[in-house]
Amino acid sequence: MHPVDLEENMRAISPILSAVILLLATLAAGAIMYHYFINTVQVMTKKPIVYGYNAEYMADLGVIYVTIDNSGSQPVTLLNATLFCDDANNKQVGVTLNGPTIKAGETRTVEISSQCKSPRVLIISYKAGDKIYTTDPIRISVS
């Protein structure tokens, strides 16, 4: 048996071919990252941004006035409000808002009839496109 000469039997790819393979791999990775980044940005810009603040309960009228700010890029339709009451049994009351629409970039004060004597927190459900979202809880001040 003869010893095998490793150097004679080894073959390698050319440096030009290896550079082309590395270049193609880099371009593919860049294309994947670009697609992921663009897709993430598009999803974030389509999400509605609606804030509610300055919620004030007028006890003598039984009405809550709340300012709604649509900072998103599409109009939203207010569907209903959920009131959390500070009554003896801490009840939760749903109120239909009859769909006022707030345009993108618009701020509007909305009147909500209160069905409890001491509302403390308000959450508003709204529709943007074909999806339904809710605001963060809005603290209600009493005047």
Side-chain angles (χ1 to χ4, degrees):
M1 236 170 148
H2 295 106
V4 178
D5 189 3
L6 293 176
E7 288 185 22
E8 285 182 21
N9 294 330
M10 289 186 63
R11 298 187 58 180
I13 60 173
S14 73
I16 295 174
L17 183 59
S18 63
V20 168
I21 290 171
L22 283 174
L23 181 64
L24 291 175
T26 304
L27 289 174
I32 290 169
M33 290 174 58
Y34 173 79
H35 183 279
Y36 177 76
F37 177 75
I38 293 300
N39 196 18
T40 302
V41 169
Q42 287 175 347
V43 167
M44 289 175 60
T45 59
K46 290 182 182 178
K47 183 179 179 188
I49 303 171
V50 175
Y51 299 105
Y53 54 93
N54 291 343
E56 190 171 352
Y57 175 57
M58 303 293 194
D60 54 337
L61 300 173
V63 172
I64 300 167
Y65 292 100
V66 60
T67 303
I68 305 294
D69 180 16
N70 180 2
S71 299
S73 59
Q74 58 183 320
V76 298
T77 303
L78 304 182
L79 301 175
N80 56 47
T82 303
L83 297 172
F84 294 89
C85 305
D86 197 17
D87 297 341
N89 55 0
N90 292 322
K91 67 181 176 179
Q92 180 177 332
V93 179
V95 179
T96 303
L97 297 178
N98 297 322
T101 299
I102 302 176
K103 298 175 186 170
E106 181 180 18
T107 300
R108 181 187 293 183
T109 300
V110 177
E111 179 180 311
I112 301 170
S113 63
S114 176
Q115 314 210 335
C116 56
K117 294 180 182 178
S118 54
R120 292 293 173 233
V121 176
L122 167 69
I123 297 176
I124 297 177
S125 298
Y126 59 93
K127 186 175 183 178
D130 58 346
K131 294 184 180 179
I132 296 176
Y133 302 91
T134 59
T135 62
D136 289 334
I138 306 161
R139 185 169 301 277
I140 302 169
S141 63
V142 179
S143 64

